[in-house]
Amino acid sequence: MVHKIRGAVVRGNSIGRRLGFPTANIPVAAEVPVQDGVYAAEARVDGTLYRAMVNIGTRPTVGDGAGRFAEANLFGFDGDLYGRPVVLFLLAYIRPERRFDSLDALKEQLAADRKTVSEYFENAAG
């Protein structure tokens, strides 16, 4: 089943951007029935669909533990999404959310996750 999350993009702490993986951050209510973790997803922005890598959770490495967010790294998107509505379609669960000991370790895992998500889309299209 495809899960859908919608909301307006809010400002984060820009760590994803500094690591080379900018994200659109959308608050997710605790009662939304999706498992925290990383997903292959599609994101709809102004009627255009983008492939995306999405983390759902509390951002244990860089967050303060307050709130649950969807952090979406949209493939091929370059622009400002603050305040704009985005719809995320979670297509495939990749791995659970976890805490990393350093930003370097997080960046390495993000690169591996992006590769996994890209392979998911290549296999789905083929």
Side-chain angles (χ1 to χ4, degrees), residues 29-70:
E31 62 272 8
V32 172
V34 279
Q35 183 176 354
D36 287 355
V38 177
Y39 291 82
E42 289 181 328
R44 187 172 59 219
V45 178
D46 297 332
T48 301
L49 273 181
Y50 295 89
R51 292 176 176 179
M53 170 176 70
V54 175
N55 181 74
I56 306 287
T58 59
R59 306 177 294 187
T61 303
V62 300
D64 58 8
R68 187 174 182 222
F69 291 86

Side-chain angles (χ1 to χ4, degrees), residues 16-118:
R17 181 174 307 283
R18 289 196 305 263
L19 295 178
F21 298 91
T23 58
N25 302 299
I26 301 167
V28 177
E31 62 272 8
V32 172
V34 279
Q35 183 176 354
D36 287 355
V38 177
Y39 291 82
E42 289 181 328
R44 187 172 59 219
V45 178
D46 297 332
T48 301
L49 273 181
Y50 295 89
R51 292 176 176 179
M53 170 176 70
V54 175
N55 181 74
I56 306 287
T58 59
R59 306 177 294 187
T61 303
V62 300
D64 58 8
R68 187 174 182 222
F69 291 86
E71 298 176 290
N73 174 246
L74 281 59
F75 298 4
F77 181 85
D78 184 28
D80 182 352
L81 291 172
Y82 295 123
R84 292 171 60 187
V86 172
V87 180
L88 301 174
F89 302 93
L90 306 180
L91 305 175
Y93 184 77
I94 303 299
R95 68 168 177 84
E97 182 180 52
R98 61 178 277 239
R99 185 183 187 291
F100 294 90
D101 292 332
S102 68
L103 290 181
D104 285 339
L106 173 59
K107 182 177 180 177
E108 187 176 306
Q109 184 62 57
L110 288 170
D113 291 341
R114 185 167 174 123
K115 184 176 188 291
T116 301
V117 170
S118 294

